[in-house]
Amino acid sequence: MNALIRAARRPAAASVIALGAVALALAALGASPLAVAADLAAGACGNWIAFTDTLARATPLVFCGLAVAIAFHGALWNIGADGQLVVGALAAGALGPALSGWPHAPAIVAMLAAGAIGGALWGGLAGWLRARRNVNEVISTIMLNFIAAQLLSWAVHGPLMAPAGGFPASRKIAAAARLHLYFPPSRLNLAMAFAVVLACACQLGLFRTVAGFQLRALGRNRRASAFFGAPIARLTVGAMALSGALAGLGGAVQISAITHRLYETISPGWGYEAIAVALIARLSPLGVVPAALLFGALDNGSQAMQRADGISPELVYVVQALAILVLLACDAAAGGGWREMFYRGAPASAEEGDDA
Amino acid sequence: MLEAFAASTVAMATPILLAALGELLVERAGVINIGIEGAMLTGAFAAIAAAHAGGGALAAVAAAVAAAVAINALFALVVVNLAANQVVAGTAIDLLALGVTGVLYQRIFGATGRAFTVAPMPPIALGPLARIPLIGPALFDQSALVYLAFALVPAIAWTLGRGRFGLRLRAAGERPEAADALGLGVYRLRWIALLIAGALSGLGGAYLSLAYANTFVEGITAGRGYVALAVVIVGRWNAWGVAAAALMFGAAMALQFVLQVSAGALPYQLFLALPYLLTVVVLAFVGGQAAAPAALGEPYVRG
């Protein structure tokens, strides 16, 4: 318990400082920070529907947050969870309408498999480019995000478009492929529980398996890993594919539980937000769950905030960005702990020739 | 049509080139700045906000430069002085810029979507040169920022090749500890590179909103900052290469307009995705980071 409090102390402090800075900025803009905070809180968990909506909004963030955390442990800077989520959603959304007549359980499994495979292909491609063609994964994953967005746009305007629709969207998935909503109109469903189970699995995989150890070793020192004979290319492709699969699952459950169909703006930028989630969680898969809940609540509350105060929901990005920057600064000031992962104190030349 | 395509290529290449030249200096100093997208976005917004407040073109450009330099100073503080992870800090800068411009845009211009437009920056025709067929309008009848961008190419190529400042930058990017031992001041050099890059990203953003779109929309940069990062790699960390790569990406973007009109059978999304597809494919072929500065992306803590 004490260890937990110690681990959560600095991220919590960073979040509070970020919120405080944003409150000051709001005051400067002539809005009342207290009123904005009250509206935000009410929108996030003011009643049963608001609260369950926060859970629903946090769910894809857990999947993407896990995706980012896994990749970052290997020092693979996957900025592409968003594209991987989109491709996963695309695969599930394309398969979904064809599953009519299937029993419920296999249909759900098929949806999840489609999402995971779609995301794994997208992430694995970036991993392959890194391992075999020496392409910086930061650039390739960002580019693949843009390509995925256009792919989705083409799909819902073209081959997957529902015949009669006011706006471009795909046909609805079969009833069998929809995750059950337990207490309608609330959107409470099994996806959140699934996400928590996955978080536990990721935690075990990272810290209790050989592959997890090798990935973390790769993240600490690529050259030493190569020297000790770790299968670097396989780890790189595998970790990126796994990372993509996790994000793709997030897309699949979103289709299966919430939207039941594809449309162009399926992701409001979860993959980018997930970077903040993973960092606030200090890359701990279990920590991703509360961090995603925090940001899911901010997202959900920001809608109410816009209606009540006329403040754009993008304010949430400011909070997230400042939280990351403050956390980086706190860590640098304090030294130690996370430092070895993100601030290699050794002279830069220790890493020299890494990719050459 | 070819004339329009050439002019469009140069116009589309310009903001990318401006940002990429800044990123080139930063990377030669050993820092990778993913926040370049955010700096461009900040510049694009500041320019329009200044124009809205009644400033002229010069004031708008100055506002863009000042805002982008400020956001790069924040980045420099975090990655140079605090030696934080550069990819993570850069991503945060992008998120910050997206949030700040989004909130301020709605605050200043309202949520109604009534776009505020500015008069386009006037092109300056360079006399008879502008009348050369095919390349005249593309090269010699453009706005001042275009001339500035292309004039910077030889200047930066020279300084990185043999100028005192460029050589010092390169030392900071190749062997920071040796550079520090020689008293070159790695932190200072990286700060200077990041501030110059901020100014150039700001100019690139100002070009987008003032000269190209004549307005600001949220996310107007649409990944051009990231394309600029790719341009630096494709250009092999060399100013002439960067210029050639920027023109290639400019052509890919300009192709959208030509092909969208003429090739109705192909989905328009393909053309929108073209610059990004091209980036991935080109990187897959030239990929290797062998030409990259040795200490690129490595946080450096003064010993």
Side-chain angles (χ1 to χ4, degrees):
Chain A
M1 198 61 208
N2 273 335
L4 192 69
I5 292 172
R6 258 203 311 278
R9 204 170 49 197
R10 240 181 275 156
S15 305
V16 170
I17 293 174
L19 284 169
V22 169
L24 287 178
L26 280 175
L29 284 175
S32 155
L34 279 179
V36 169
D39 292 323
L40 193 75
C45 49
N47 56 52
W48 170 246
I49 294 291
F51 173 68
T52 51
D53 265 358
T54 287
L55 288 182
R57 277 202 73 109
T59 304
L61 278 179
V62 177
F63 286 96
C64 291
L66 291 174
V68 172
I70 293 279
F72 277 23
H73 266 289
L76 297 166
W77 310 112
N78 180 12
I79 316 293
D82 216 57
Q84 292 143 18
L85 176 132
V86 161
V87 175
L90 188 57
L95 178 71
L99 295 176
S100 60
W102 282 46
H104 181 59
I108 294 292
V109 172
M111 290 285 285
L112 296 180
I117 292 169
L121 285 175
W122 218 241
L125 176 59
W128 179 84
L129 284 167
R130 169 70 201 258
R132 294 289 174 216
R133 310 298 311 168
N134 216 352
V135 176
N136 184 333
E137 75 281 3
V138 174
I139 314 274
S140 66
T141 51
I142 290 171
M143 294 299 135
L144 287 169
N145 285 345
F146 287 104
I147 297 170
Q150 295 303 330
L151 196 65
L152 176 64
S153 165
W154 166 73
V156 298
H157 282 97
L160 297 182
M161 188 160 87
F167 64 105
S170 70
R171 286 194 297 138
K172 281 207 163 191
I173 60 172
R178 296 178 197 173
L179 271 177
H180 190 62
L181 299 185
Y182 288 103
F183 305 102
S186 96
R187 299 194 285 182
L188 212 57
N189 64 72
L190 263 186
M192 189 62 184
F194 179 45
V196 173
V197 171
L198 269 183
C200 298
C202 287
Q203 185 83 22
L204 289 176
L206 261 178
F207 295 100
R208 293 281 182 273
T209 68
V210 172
F213 172 77
Q214 286 181 324
L215 181 65
R216 288 185 295 125
L218 180 71
R220 296 289 172 88
N221 193 332
R222 203 178 173 86
R223 216 157 62 129
S225 286
F227 185 73
F228 287 111
I232 297 212
R234 218 169 55 223
L235 278 171
T236 301
V237 178
M240 284 300 292
L242 176 63
S243 175
L246 288 164
L249 276 173
V253 299
Q254 182 69 9
I255 299 287
S256 180
I258 308 291
T259 67
H260 298 160
R261 56 167 65 189
L262 286 166
Y263 49 93
E264 254 182 298
T265 52
I266 193 88
S267 167
W270 281 312
Y272 298 101
E273 211 171 310
I275 297 169
V277 167
L279 291 171
I280 294 292
R282 326 234 83 178
L283 305 190
S284 148
L286 287 179
V288 161
V289 178
L293 279 173
L294 174 67
F295 284 157
L298 280 175
D299 281 342
N300 194 28
S302 70
Q303 307 293 329
M305 175 189 78
Q306 178 171 39
R307 281 192 300 275
D309 307 284
I311 300 285
S312 158
E314 272 114 348
L315 188 69
V316 174
Y317 295 150
V318 183
V319 177
Q320 291 167 349
L322 289 178
I324 298 176
L325 291 172
V326 173
L327 189 56
L328 290 172
C330 289
D331 282 341
W338 211 41
R339 194 183 179 92
E340 47 184 358
M341 174 77 204
F342 276 101
Y343 318 94
R344 299 192 186 120
S349 59
E351 293 284 324
E352 177 201 332
D354 166 26
D355 289 309
Chain B
M1 171 144 136
L2 265 180
E3 212 158 70
F5 174 67
S8 186
T9 294
V10 172
M12 301 301 280
T14 297
I16 297 174
L17 178 60
L18 283 165
L21 287 172
E23 180 67 17
L24 173 64
L25 293 175
V26 168
E27 292 201 7
R28 289 307 286 262
V31 177
I32 183 160
N33 180 14
I34 311 286
I36 188 172
E37 175 84 4
M40 283 182 91
L41 187 62
T42 307
F45 175 78
I48 286 294
H52 182 255
L58 208 60
V61 171
V65 168
V69 165
I71 205 164
N72 264 29
L74 179 62
F75 179 74
L77 181 70
V78 175
V79 302
V80 177
N81 300 80
L82 302 179
N85 180 285
Q86 295 167 7
V87 174
V88 172
T91 312
I93 291 289
D94 289 338
L95 207 55
L96 182 67
L98 201 60
V100 168
T101 58
V103 170
L104 288 181
Y105 180 78
Q106 215 176 81
R107 209 65 190 169
I108 297 174
F109 299 102
T112 51
R114 272 177 301 116
F116 168 77
T117 54
V118 292
M121 278 184 127
I124 305 166
L126 299 186
L129 288 175
R131 291 194 294 274
I132 302 172
L134 202 57
I135 59 163
L139 297 179
F140 305 112
D141 191 11
Q142 299 272 14
S143 68
L145 286 175
V146 178
Y147 300 132
L148 176 65
F150 284 89
L152 279 172
V153 175
I156 289 177
W158 179 82
T159 189
L160 283 177
R162 44 191 90 216
R164 183 211 285 254
F165 171 65
L167 293 176
R168 289 180 168 184
L169 269 192
R170 283 169 55 188
E174 298 289 340
R175 286 192 179 270
E177 66 287 3
D180 249 355
L182 286 174
L184 296 183
V186 171
Y187 285 11
R188 201 175 57 95
L189 284 165
R190 291 186 172 180
W191 260 92
I192 294 171
L194 277 165
L195 294 183
I196 297 174
L200 292 177
S201 309
L203 288 175
Y207 179 84
L208 274 179
S209 59
L210 294 178
Y212 174 66
N214 309 128
T215 184
F216 180 85
V217 287
E218 287 173 40
I220 186 174
T221 42
R224 282 180 177 84
Y226 302 128
V227 170
L229 282 168
V231 158
V232 173
I233 300 175
V234 175
R236 312 315 284 160
W237 290 272
N238 161 310
W240 296 108
V242 163
L247 281 170
M248 182 180 77
F249 283 98
M253 290 181 168
L255 211 58
Q256 288 168 19
F257 310 117
V258 180
L259 292 183
Q260 249 166 266
V261 179
S262 61
L266 289 167
Y268 69 86
Q269 290 91 354
L270 181 64
F271 302 115
L272 291 179
L274 196 62
Y276 313 117
L277 277 169
L278 187 71
T279 307
V280 174
V281 172
V282 170
L283 287 182
F285 282 100
V286 304
Q289 308 246 313
L296 181 61
E298 292 301 331
Y300 170 68
V301 181
R302 189 169 278 164

